Amino acid sequence: MDTSMTRSAGPAFDALEVRSDFPLLSETIHGKPLVYLDNAASTQKPRAVIDAVSNFYCHSYSNVHRGVHALSVRATEAYEGARDTMRDFLGAADRKEIVFVRGTTEGINLVAQGMTGSMGPGDEVLISGLEHHSNIVPWQMLCERTGAKLQVARIDDSGEVDLDEYRRLLSPRTRIVAMSHISNALGTVNPVKEMIALARAAGSLTLVDGAQAAAHMPIDVQDLDADFYTISSHKMFGPSGIGVLYGKQARLEALPPYQGGGDMILSVTFEKTTYNELPYRFEAGTPCIEAAVGMGVAARYLMDLGFDRIEPYESRLLQDATDVLRQVPDVQLIGTARNKASVISFTLGDIHSHDVGTIVDSEAVAIRVGHHCAQPVMDRFGVSSTCRASLAMYNTLDDVKRLAEALHKVREVFRL
Amino acid sequence: MSDLRELYQEVILDHSRQPRNRGELDGESCRKANGHNPLCGDKVTVYVDVQDGVVRNLTFDGVGCAISTASASLMTEALRGKTIVEVQRMFDEFHALMTSDDATEAEALGKLQVLAGVRDYPVRVKCATLAWHTLKAAIDAGKDAEPVTTE
Ligand SMILES: Cc1ncc(COP(=O)(O)O)c(C=O)c1O
């Protein structure tokens, strides 16, 4: 088995060594060693993150931005330190541009909510046909509130956004374009840099849903020139309940506050409240402090491993995994974009994905089955659901072979 | 593997591949309801023709996994000709078969007992009960039955 790959830039990437950092991956399920291939839903946590959260509770826990006592200072330093790390991770110009939110979903809602006052009939929001429900519904709600229109750029048979149609749909009416960096249902990597440049030329704002990108590729928001970029910690080996919304300073300043409460104000009287500066203006209430600290550690862990080593390993693994699964009779791949990452969506003959999921689970292989919160994508491919294996840097080709064996078992049970 | 054979018994595979009583019903005394399992996207429509308190005809339509399709198919076979009172009793017994820990023998359920294996797969219980809940909605709500979901 080839688990390590050499790359001139650094020492070989050793997936087995990385795997040993993740305690949960040594679990046994139904008496068999776990194979975890549901990373697009959520990723497991390395020891470094688990220890950081635990240590924070044991030695530094208190509320942030509140007290003068030592612990409050410690907690605030840890929380704000995490913000600095996230600024590095995303390549943002300023820490003010890093807003802690609950996750990608909240990041998108914050922007969609904030645009309510400045939009009306005649305005348009443009999304793509491969979006997750969380990058569809908040925009639909914005359109309902304001009378604006939701436009959708179709995807082709391989699962790539039709860029000609995307260009056609961009117009002076387009106020914001929202697109995912990587599709969770198909694995398509969108050409976001090009799409952003086109949107900017049309005078539109841009938001990138980076939920699926953060664990797999380096993100540089300045290079992309995105106005907004949002990620979830739990999909990049950090705790759940926290994420980051990056926004260009001027763009964030133009948005009204999202929620009212403590921390987001400078002064409050019953007559008038003065809002706090960025990013605190968007962080009302006590945040999930320990999760933010954990997210910072997860980002640091990824930066230390280096995407220059992670990316080639994963890209090779995805290719080999695709070949292995293709060899299982009756496997039909859904999503064959030229540029893909992490995700292999497929159907197995006419067996319903739920039945596949139950049977492969009995072999301790965890995959996701269903519509993956992307029903329009399912409709586009004429299926009600798919099976989805999603890889992370700690997976090896052996994991995928275990899945292939389990799929043979499914065929056996169903007498295919 | 033996557990799986318990779940995916021959009868279940047969009914999922060749569902009985598939199709629509039309007529003055017919009622229908839509059922939806948002977890997996399964959708089923159940059509029932009740006359004088007796199920004269019962059919279903929709897409689903092997368990939900087989369960719907077996249900339509089992309940034809039954009175509404009997249907309610079998609904309760079937529900107990799916959810109660002590594997009480439910003789009255007859062939439906092949679905007993589902009990060991809690996330799949909703697949097996979807058609039943939908039927109940059709009967209870009468002509203007609303869609039901198993969530
Ligand atoms: C592409 C994409 N966008 C958005 C989300 C929502 O992320 P979260 O649930 O962490 O807010 C997901 C998660 O499934 C996703 O895959």
Side-chain angles (χ1 to χ4, degrees):
Chain A
M1 181 186 62
D2 184 14
T3 56
S4 61
M5 297 218 0
T6 14
R7 196 181 138 88
S8 50
F13 182 83
D14 187 345
L16 288 182
E17 195 186 314
V18 169
R19 190 189 192 98
S20 68
D21 288 343
F22 290 77
L24 192 134
L25 295 176
S26 332
E27 277 294 289
T28 53
I29 304 283
H30 314 309
K32 297 164 192 157
L34 165 71
V35 169
Y36 189 75
L37 295 173
D38 194 17
N39 294 287
S42 204
T43 52
Q44 301 302 338
K45 320 305 170 198
R47 175 65 68 193
V49 168
I50 299 168
D51 287 350
V53 172
S54 166
N55 283 336
F56 181 73
Y57 273 137
C58 292
H59 302 292
S60 309
Y61 186 80
S62 174
N63 210 329
V64 289
H65 309 138
R66 302 284 157 98
V68 294
H69 61 76
L71 277 185
S72 179
V73 173
R74 245 186 238 175
T76 304
E77 274 170 4
Y79 181 70
E80 293 304 326
R83 193 188 309 278
D84 290 331
T85 308
M86 294 319 298
R87 187 209 47 193
D88 288 351
F89 186 78
L90 293 172
D94 197 299
R95 65 194 313 281
K96 284 185 185 148
E97 300 176 322
I98 302 296
V99 179
F100 279 119
V101 288
R102 272 195 305 135
T104 304
T105 302
E106 190 175 45
I108 297 168
N109 275 282
L110 190 157
V111 176
Q113 189 75 47
M115 290 184 70
T116 307
S118 60
M119 287 187 59
D123 289 334
E124 291 178 2
V125 176
L126 176 56
I127 63 173
S128 88
L130 51 65
E131 300 307 320
H132 187 279
H133 293 165
S134 68
N135 202 24
I136 301 174
V137 183
W139 304 116
Q140 275 174 338
M141 291 165 70
L142 171 64
C143 288
E144 266 167 36
R145 285 194 299 273
T146 61
K149 186 169 174 206
L150 186 68
Q151 297 278 19
V152 184
R154 271 188 311 235
I155 50 175
D156 66 16
D157 290 340
S158 71
E160 292 181 15
V161 176
D162 179 340
L163 285 183
D164 288 333
E165 189 180 59
Y166 174 73
R167 275 194 200 89
R168 264 200 308 281
L169 289 174
L170 278 171
S171 80
R173 291 182 300 279
T174 314
R175 298 291 310 285
I176 187 162
V177 175
M179 70 202 95
S180 49
H181 203 155
I182 299 178
S183 154
N184 71 306
L186 300 170
T188 309
V189 181
N190 274 329
V192 286
K193 190 168 173 179
E194 187 185 343
M195 291 169 80
I196 288 169
L198 288 166
R200 176 157 314 292
S204 171
L205 294 177
T206 53
L207 176 143
V208 181
D209 167 352
Q212 292 299 336
H216 304 291
M217 54 170 55
I219 297 163
D220 184 335
V221 289
Q222 292 188 78
D223 179 56
L224 291 176
D225 199 23
D227 291 304
F228 300 102
Y229 194 107
T230 181
I231 59 177
S232 297
S233 161
H234 71 96
K235 291 187 201 280
M236 49 171 282
F237 315 108
S240 49
I242 197 85
V244 163
L245 170 70
Y246 157 84
K248 282 182 186 165
Q249 192 170 334
R251 302 300 178 206
L252 286 174
E253 268 159 8
L255 288 183
Y258 174 53
Q259 294 179 324
D263 255 9
M264 58 79 71
I265 45 82
L266 284 179
S267 73
V268 178
T269 66
F270 286 118
E271 288 70 41
K272 184 167 170 53
T273 291
T274 315
Y275 301 129
N276 205 339
E277 61 191 23
L278 292 178
Y280 309 106
R281 191 146 70 91
F282 294 107
E283 294 183 3
T286 300
C288 195
I289 309 165
E290 58 278 30
V293 171
M295 183 181 196
V297 172
R300 174 60 57 205
Y301 177 84
L302 276 167
M303 289 189 281
D304 288 349
L305 280 174
F307 280 110
D308 59 335
R309 296 163 65 227
I310 295 169
E311 238 188 335
Y313 172 77
E314 284 195 14
S315 133
R316 169 76 189 279
L317 177 63
L318 178 65
Q319 215 173 317
D320 293 349
T322 306
D323 290 343
V324 165
L325 293 180
R326 262 209 180 108
Q327 276 161 27
V328 178
D330 305 310
V331 162
Q332 176 83 44
L333 297 182
I334 308 280
T336 49
R338 283 160 297 179
N339 193 2
K340 275 184 69 170
S342 170
V343 169
I344 307 174
S345 245
F346 61 94
T347 56
L348 183 65
D350 60 0
I351 305 174
H352 193 281
S353 70
H354 240 192
D355 297 310
V356 178
T358 294
I359 298 171
V360 304
D361 174 69
S362 74
E363 295 298 311
V365 178
I367 60 170
R368 171 92 182 262
V369 297
H371 53 57
H372 319 297
C373 297
Q375 280 177 349
V377 174
M378 301 296 112
D379 293 344
R380 169 65 180 77
F381 287 93
V383 293
S384 67
S385 65
T386 72
C387 308
R388 179 187 72 186
S390 50
L391 306 161
M393 60 188 180
Y394 44 53
N395 289 121
T396 64
L397 199 54
D398 273 0
D399 292 336
V400 182
K401 287 177 180 161
R402 285 268 308 277
L403 170 60
E405 280 164 27
L407 292 175
H408 283 294
K409 195 140 284 177
V410 179
R411 300 185 70 253
E412 221 174 282
V413 170
F414 274 78
R415 308 228 187 322
L416 277 195
Chain B
M1 198 63 179
S2 56
D3 292 356
L4 284 171
R5 280 267 168 259
E6 192 61 32
L7 180 63
Y8 291 103
Q9 295 193 26
E10 208 52 58
V11 176
I12 293 178
L13 293 182
D14 173 45
H15 275 260
S16 75
R17 292 223 169 90
Q18 276 125 18
R20 323 293 197 268
N21 305 317
R22 194 156 195 160
E24 301 181 11
L25 285 183
D26 220 353
E28 199 41 42
S29 50
C30 292
R31 303 155 182 193
K32 74 166 188 178
N34 299 314
H36 181 215
N37 182 350
L39 199 66
C40 57
D42 283 0
K43 287 189 177 113
V44 68
T45 306
V46 171
Y47 303 85
V48 59
D49 183 359
V50 182
Q51 292 176 34
D52 306 325
V54 175
V55 174
R56 295 288 173 206
N57 205 352
L58 180 58
T59 64
F60 80 102
D61 224 342
V63 291
C65 61
I67 305 295
S68 70
T69 306
S71 177
S73 171
L74 285 160
M75 177 188 82
T76 59
E77 271 194 336
L79 298 184
R80 275 191 168 176
K82 295 274 191 274
T83 65
I84 294 298
V85 176
E86 287 169 322
V87 167
Q88 180 61 49
R89 205 188 61 233
M90 287 178 78
F91 177 93
D92 294 338
E93 283 179 9
F94 186 74
H95 213 260
L97 183 73
M98 290 294 105
T99 52
S100 73
D101 279 339
D102 56 310
T104 46
E105 283 302 312
E107 289 298 328
L109 288 175
K111 205 171 169 187
L112 291 170
Q113 291 181 72
V114 295
L115 285 157
V118 176
R119 187 172 38 207
D120 297 329
Y121 298 82
V123 292
R124 303 303 302 277
V125 167
K126 284 173 177 170
C127 306
T129 56
L130 178 63
W132 286 82
H133 284 290
T134 311
L135 168 68
K136 196 161 164 2
I139 290 175
D140 289 353
K143 276 229 166 285
D144 326 297
E146 285 288 302
V148 297
T149 85
T150 53
E151 282 298 276

